[in-house]
Amino acid sequence: MRIETTAGIAEVEIDTSASARFLLLLTHGSGGGVEAKDLLAVRDRALALDAAVARVIQPYRVAGRRAPGSATKQDAAWLEVVAALRTRYPRVPLIQGGRSNGARVACRTALESEAKGVLALSFPLHPPGKPEKTRREELLAARPVQVVVVNGERDPFGIPDPADVAQVTVIPGQPHSYRAGFDSIADAVEPWLRIWAGLSG
């Protein structure tokens, strides 16, 4: 699926069950793609809970760029993608998220997109070696929307404070780009996804 935005064309890969209980939007890191193994692990677990899962390739990546550029333009394009997908899935809860830069976008736009929750994989709390340049305000910008964070124990971009979000899970031994622990990532987010699928308890 291709969606025209003010920043260019976004491409969306959609997987869905016969009757979606919720809509999960996921996107990539700044130089990555939607085939990242952590995104696929979460997608597969969500599909098992009867979700519609849309993996969004943002316009700057479709255009072949590695850097996202202006956060304002990136967020505006994301909201246009959300609006387009909500016409297709209008009556189910929206959960949005992504890895690294994609997690930042999901947090910054959570209120305007009317998301019920945010999934932040490898949220980059600060540039490596520069904890004073914190991006904590982006996590707080999502309040009161619940933010669930999954970060690697050895992530040089830092790990968010559990006091700032609904849940933080740390995957032992993993860096910013996970090399293992994909089942653990899916296990960490499944209970939360089950709530939005109406399957909790």
Side-chain angles (χ1 to χ4, degrees):
M1 179 179 181
R2 292 167 65 86
I3 297 173
E4 181 72 53
T5 78
T6 50
I9 297 289
E11 294 181 353
V12 184
E13 307 260 351
I14 299 177
D15 299 283
T16 187
S17 64
S19 180
R21 292 175 177 268
F22 63 99
L23 172 61
L24 175 62
L25 269 59
L26 297 171
T27 192
H28 47 76
S30 60
V34 295
E35 300 302 319
K37 290 183 178 179
D38 51 345
L39 295 179
L40 295 180
V42 171
R43 176 203 64 182
D44 292 348
R45 195 62 62 93
L47 288 173
L49 298 173
D50 295 329
V53 183
R55 289 173 295 138
V56 180
I57 306 170
Q58 297 179 61
Y60 75 93
R61 290 296 287 148
V62 175
R65 297 190 300 275
R66 291 186 63 82
S70 163
T72 300
K73 291 180 180 178
Q74 189 182 21
D75 291 355
W78 177 259
L79 290 168
E80 291 170 296
V81 170
V82 170
L85 289 169
R86 289 305 270 162
T87 64
R88 190 165 178 165
Y89 302 97
R91 291 180 294 278
V92 295
L94 166 66
I95 309 296
Q96 63 180 29
R99 63 164 289 105
S100 194
N101 180 71
R104 296 176 65 193
V105 175
C107 287
R108 292 194 304 254
T109 61
L111 294 182
E112 195 165 352
S113 70
E114 299 183 349
K116 299 298 184 183
V118 172
L119 173 58
L121 301 171
S122 292
F123 186 89
L125 186 62
H126 55 72
K130 298 180 179 179
E132 71 281 2
K133 295 189 176 181
T134 180
R135 299 177 179 125
R136 177 175 179 257
E137 70 282 355
E138 294 183 356
L139 288 168
L140 301 181
R143 288 183 173 178
V145 176
Q146 287 193 350
V147 179
V148 170
V149 173
V150 182
N151 272 53
E153 179 185 27
R154 298 179 180 174
D155 193 333
F157 290 84
I159 299 172
D161 187 330
D164 288 337
V165 295
Q167 173 185 318
V168 174
T169 299
V170 177
I171 306 300
Q174 292 305 300
H176 189 67
S177 295
Y178 308 105
R179 297 189 178 97
F182 302 108
D183 286 342
S184 296
I185 293 169
D187 289 344
V189 303
E190 179 177 354
W192 181 69
L193 294 178
R194 290 180 69 86
I195 292 172
W196 300 114
L199 298 171
S200 60

